Amino acid sequence: MTLHATADVNRIEAPVTWRAYLLCAFASFGGIYFGYDSGYINGVNGSKVFINMIDPDNNPAKPALTDAHSSLIVSILSAGTFFGALIAGDVAETIGRKWTVIVGCCVYGFGVIIQMLTGVGGSALGFIVAGRLIAGIGVGFESAIVILYMSEICPKSVRGALVACYQFCVTIGLLLASCVVYATENRPDTGSYRIPIAIQFIWALILGIGLIFLPDSPRYYVKKGRIDDAIAALCRVRNQPRDSEYIEAELAEIIANEEYERHIIPDAGWLGSWMNCFTGGLWVQKSNLRRTILGTSLQMMQQWTGVNFIFYFSTTFLQSTGAISNTFLISLIFTLVNVCSTPISFYTVEKFGRRPLLIYGAFGMLICQFIVAIIGVTVGFNKTHTDAAGNTIANSIPAVNAQVAFIAIYIFFFASTWGPGAWILIGEIFPIPIRSRGVALSTASNWLWNTIISVITPYMVGTEPKDANMKSAVFFVWGGTCTACFLYSYFLVPETKGLSLEQVDKMMEETTPRTSAKWRPTTTFATEKGLVTAEHDEVKQV
Ligand SMILES: OC[C@H]1O[C@](O)(CO)[C@@H](O)[C@@H]1O
């Protein structure tokens, strides 16, 4: 086969068309699963019908699941997603990105059916736990591979913005979940939990059926040596004809990079491929080990921002001050701020880049967290009294309101920076031979830390004798972790804006994180591999 390779670093990709845009953006719909599944269970765990089904001996005056059951039902999904993401890395190498996500949708659908059986024949706990574990595996498939797929098909100039759509969909999923459970939670029948569970089917159907009509990743085809399929796929995602010189140039570049990387990281069987993620020196930025640490730690840091403390526990926390009568409304406002702020990143991530976004975002978050903590321990959440009716009331309502406002500003900073930023970067930093496993490991890290934080925070703010009862001081912890995010992004995060995935590879070889933003490509992989032989581009045998 002959392809037009190019030496011009600016001509390796076709201009972006609307169709290409929409095609690439479709997969981001997978984010809805993620958000909806994390969100709906809090409401279901609060439904009386559900509680009576799981824990028939609960106190009718104050119906609640036992701590053990509640944390099992919540965290089992994350356990499933953790393993699902890891398995998906392998599956995506074997059957391709697109089909892995479709398989993920089927697994998820199966998990939803099992959840729907909750309460049938008097069994409840077993069905909901098994169903969420299986659905979690599906979410793990989808959350890791949608990012991988999108990063590989999106045009470089809008890749950040399109992958940010994924996080946007996560936030919409969270919002939908809180609206659905608000509407169903108090129903007197099994609809109070079956409706929120059944709605999950819709997401699986839309994503699974829609993806059947989309092409797989051209980079996957190149890795498998299926060049004709790669050309067809590239033509569709770039909306270009078969003989477009852009398609040929981009393909030549992907092929040259793949050959170069394969030379450095040879195929090494199943175990060897996983081991490849951990090879090379710790102090060498381009090494696989460093990239794996970067991807997994980025996702760890995203969870260390403490965002899920707000999304999982803000209602309980706000209730404890007695200052806010409608805590649902406040949580809804937090969720809305999250949804509305995320699209800001579509623009800023391409205009200013990934690094500034994470650095300034962490800075904004740490300031907000410390302000919330300081107000809280001096005049806000921590200072309460008991009224004549025995209710806990905050001494200073304006101080509590100020804390709520700063929490909302904190969410604004998270949603417009770290929320999407971590996902964008993990899709970009891995070289093709370890990309699917690297993205899988990084996604698994997000879920792992999500679980760890959701398991430990109730003890940090709980009021039982065994609990730390930190009240507002817990925001000092999140202020500290956001400070760690700030230093982390300054010292360790490279700039990947505007580069093709192949150019990112080169940039990571030639720069340090702090010098990365100035790096510009000077040559193409095709030139280096000798595919371009004259001063002007030439047809060359590939
Ligand atoms: O938008 C907030 C949500 O985003 C995530 O951090 C994933 O990127 C979730 O863990 C969190 O619930």
Side-chain angles (χ1 to χ4, degrees), residues 29 32-33 36 108 176 199-208:
F29 184 83
I32 299 231
Y33 278 47
Y36 187 86
Y108 178 79
L176 288 173
I199 287 178
Q200 299 174 95
F201 265 124
I202 305 176
W203 321 136
L205 285 177
I206 298 179
L207 185 65

Side-chain angles (χ1 to χ4, degrees), residues 66-373:
T66 62
D67 284 352
H69 284 163
S70 155
S71 73
L72 174 66
I73 293 170
V74 172
S75 57
I76 196 73
L77 181 96
S78 318
T81 31
F82 175 81
F83 291 108
L86 290 181
I87 301 167
D90 275 335
V91 181
E93 279 307 274
T94 318
I95 62 171
R97 285 47 169 152
K98 155 180 151 171
W99 287 105
T100 305
V101 179
I102 295 173
V103 168
C105 291
C106 298
V107 175
Y108 178 79
F110 182 59
V112 174
I113 295 177
I114 309 246
Q115 290 176 62
M116 289 292 285
L117 296 176
T118 302
V120 172
S123 317
L125 189 64
F127 281 129
I128 189 77
V129 170
R132 275 179 64 82
L133 178 69
I134 296 170
I137 295 177
V139 177
F141 266 56
E142 172 279 318
S143 50
I145 308 307
V146 162
I147 293 293
L148 173 66
Y149 176 67
M150 291 188 76
S151 310
E152 288 191 340
I153 64 170
C154 290
K156 64 183 169 127
S157 57
V158 288
R159 188 180 56 232
L162 287 171
V163 177
C165 282
Y166 175 81
Q167 175 67 14
F168 182 49
C169 288
V170 172
T171 65
I172 294 181
L174 281 167
L175 176 66
L176 288 173
S178 57
C179 296
V180 169
V181 296
Y182 185 61
T184 57
E185 204 173 12
N186 297 323
R187 284 174 68 105
D189 53 20
T190 56
S192 66
Y193 64 89
R194 288 219 170 101
I195 295 174
I197 290 175
I199 287 178
Q200 299 174 95
F201 265 124
I202 305 176
W203 321 136
L205 285 177
I206 298 179
L207 185 65
I209 295 178
L211 268 182
I212 293 177
F213 301 101
L214 259 62
D216 208 326
S217 154
R219 287 175 166 94
Y220 162 74
Y221 285 133
V222 167
K223 196 171 175 218
K224 291 282 166 188
R226 292 164 58 182
I227 304 302
D228 276 335
D229 290 330
I231 295 176
L234 206 53
C235 289
R236 287 190 60 201
V237 292
R238 298 286 176 265
N239 197 18
Q240 292 280 315
R242 167 67 186 81
D243 56 0
S244 153
E245 60 168 293
Y246 285 116
I247 295 296
E248 304 214 347
E250 184 171 0
L251 196 69
E253 191 62 2
I254 297 174
I255 293 172
N257 170 264
E258 201 273 334
E259 282 177 6
Y260 167 79
E261 285 298 347
R262 193 154 27 86
H263 176 68
I264 304 177
I265 316 170
D267 263 348
W270 180 79
L271 190 62
S273 310
W274 278 107
M275 294 309 289
N276 276 341
C277 297
F278 304 98
T279 53
L282 184 60
W283 306 110
V284 186
Q285 162 162 259
K286 67 174 185 190
S287 78
N288 291 351
L289 174 66
R290 261 292 280 278
R291 297 188 205 213
T292 304
I293 293 177
L294 180 63
T296 48
S297 56
L298 259 168
Q299 292 290 8
M300 174 181 84
M301 288 294 185
Q302 198 233 35
Q303 291 297 309
W304 277 22
T305 57
V307 67
N308 282 322
F309 174 74
I310 307 296
F311 287 114
Y312 296 164
F313 302 107
S314 64
T315 315
T316 343
F317 196 70
L318 295 177
Q319 272 161 354
S320 68
T321 67
I324 291 153
S325 50
N326 193 344
T327 45
F328 173 77
L329 187 70
I330 301 287
S331 327
L332 189 66
I333 292 175
F334 291 159
T335 312
L336 278 171
V337 172
N338 194 28
V339 174
C340 298
S341 316
T342 307
I344 298 173
S345 68
F346 299 173
Y347 173 74
T348 50
V349 78
E350 301 301 359
K351 173 87 181 146
F352 306 111
R354 286 64 163 151
R355 227 177 105 77
L357 214 64
L358 296 194
I359 296 175
Y360 289 112
F363 187 69
M365 288 192 290
L366 78 90
I367 298 285
C368 293
Q369 295 281 14
F370 282 127
I371 292 180
V372 176

